[in-house]
């Protein structure tokens, strides 16, 4: 078994990280081809190897990033297979492993993952837990929006900040709708339209 801990673990760290990344790329290609069963089989064999690699190298960011990638891929695969509990398990593992936020896009991406986690919790019957997770996501959406607006105000050529703002308002509006806050959701939808228009106009000027 080329993915086994016995084989990969006997090699040096550089080989382990390269091999793990390559196998994850294969898994992602299987998923894109709608061959989730093949992805699941590959991830099942690979996951212990990557987890052991992180445990043996706790301060190595590359190892952590590979494990984070594996958790996210596993969450996606199990969701596609209809196994919501396993998808939620890996989603939560990934959230715990994420590094500190560096910019508005990082905050927006984490907030989106929290919103997805809340949806899984609700679908599995934990309505209160899911709504609490959604509120945590909304708080992070608000932070990302403020940071993106400040970044865009400081540099009107920074289209990444404006795009992050557009994404944040769209995702926050969806979350508000799910929580039943329709007036606030509508306000965010209008803000999203303005951001999209500004993004288009700014792109044309460059």
């Amino acid at each position: 078994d080329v993915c086994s801990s016995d084989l990969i673990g006997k090699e040096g760290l550089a080989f382990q990280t390269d091999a793990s990344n390559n196998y994850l790329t294969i898994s992602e290609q299987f998923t894109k081809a709608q061959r989730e069963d093949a992805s699941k089989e590959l991830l099942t064999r690979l996951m212990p190897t990557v987890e052991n690699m992180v445990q043996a190298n706790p301060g190595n960011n590359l190892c952590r990033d590979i494990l984070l990638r594996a958790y996210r891929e596993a969450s996606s695969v199990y969701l596609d297979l209809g196994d919501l509990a396993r998808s939620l398990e890996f989603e939560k593992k990934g959230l715990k492993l994420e590094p500190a936020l560096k910019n508005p896009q990082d905050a927006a991406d984490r907030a989106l993952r929290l919103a997805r986690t809340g949806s899984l919790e609700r679908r599995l019957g934990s309505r209160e837990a899911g709504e609490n997770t959604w509120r945590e996501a909304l708080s992070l959406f608000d932070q990302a929006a403020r940071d993106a607006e400040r970044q865009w105000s400081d540099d009107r050529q920074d289209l990444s900040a404006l795009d992050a703002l557009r994404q944040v308002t769209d995702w926050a509006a969806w979350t508000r709708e799910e929580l039943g806050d329709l007036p606030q959701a509508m306000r965010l939808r209008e803000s999203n339209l303005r951001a999209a228009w500004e993004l288009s106009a700014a792109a044309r000027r460059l």
Side-chain angles (χ1 to χ4, degrees):
D1 184 347
V2 294
C3 292
S4 70
S5 298
D6 289 341
L7 179 59
I8 295 180
K10 289 178 180 177
E11 304 294 338
L13 183 59
F15 175 87
Q16 293 178 46
T17 54
D18 286 347
S20 298
N21 267 322
N22 288 337
Y23 285 123
L24 282 171
T25 298
I26 294 172
S27 175
E28 290 163 354
Q29 292 301 316
F30 277 143
T31 303
K32 289 180 181 178
Q34 298 183 324
R35 296 181 58 192
E36 288 84 358
D37 286 331
S39 297
K40 175 184 173 181
E41 181 180 352
L42 185 57
L43 288 167
T44 298
R45 299 201 309 269
L46 181 62
M47 197 68 72
T49 299
V50 182
E51 289 178 332
N52 290 339
M53 186 171 66
V54 171
Q55 291 174 4
N57 303 274
N60 189 299
N61 290 337
L62 176 58
C63 294
R64 181 206 61 204
D65 290 345
I66 293 171
L67 181 56
L68 180 56
R69 181 184 172 194
Y71 284 157
R72 289 174 178 169
E73 169 67 2
S75 179
S76 176
V77 167
Y78 280 106
L79 181 61
D80 289 345
L81 290 170
D83 191 339
L84 303 187
R86 289 286 278 166
S87 179
L88 178 60
E89 174 189 343
F90 284 110
E91 193 73 58
K92 287 184 173 180
K93 284 184 175 182
L95 286 169
K96 290 180 181 178
L97 201 63
E98 286 182 348
L101 305 176
K102 297 180 180 178
N103 52 56
Q105 188 63 60
D106 285 351
D109 290 343
R110 179 173 174 81
L112 179 60
R113 285 188 282 273
L114 282 168
R116 186 165 55 233
T117 298
S119 296
L120 286 169
E121 289 171 332
R122 280 173 55 97
R123 291 173 67 183
L124 287 166
S126 300
R127 182 182 181 88
E128 183 177 356
E131 291 186 354
N132 287 338
T133 304
W134 275 349
R135 292 188 178 92
E136 184 180 352
L138 281 173
S139 177
L140 200 51
F141 279 136
D142 289 344
Q143 174 190 326
R146 289 192 301 271
D147 291 345
E149 285 177 340
R150 187 181 309 112
Q151 190 172 324
W152 172 242
S153 178
D154 291 343
D155 183 0
R156 290 289 175 167
Q157 291 189 330
D158 188 352
L159 298 187
S160 65
L162 190 56
D163 190 45
L165 179 60
R166 180 190 59 78
Q167 292 178 26
V168 165
T169 53
D170 185 38
W171 297 335
W174 176 88
T175 308
R176 290 285 184 186
E177 287 175 356
E178 292 298 309
L179 286 169
D181 189 351
L182 299 183
Q184 183 70 353
M186 181 63 70
R187 187 189 70 79
L188 287 167
R189 292 292 185 199
E190 292 172 353
S191 177
N192 177 258
L193 288 173
R194 287 195 300 272
W197 182 87
E198 286 190 47
L199 181 61
S200 177
R204 289 195 299 270
R205 289 194 297 269
L206 292 181

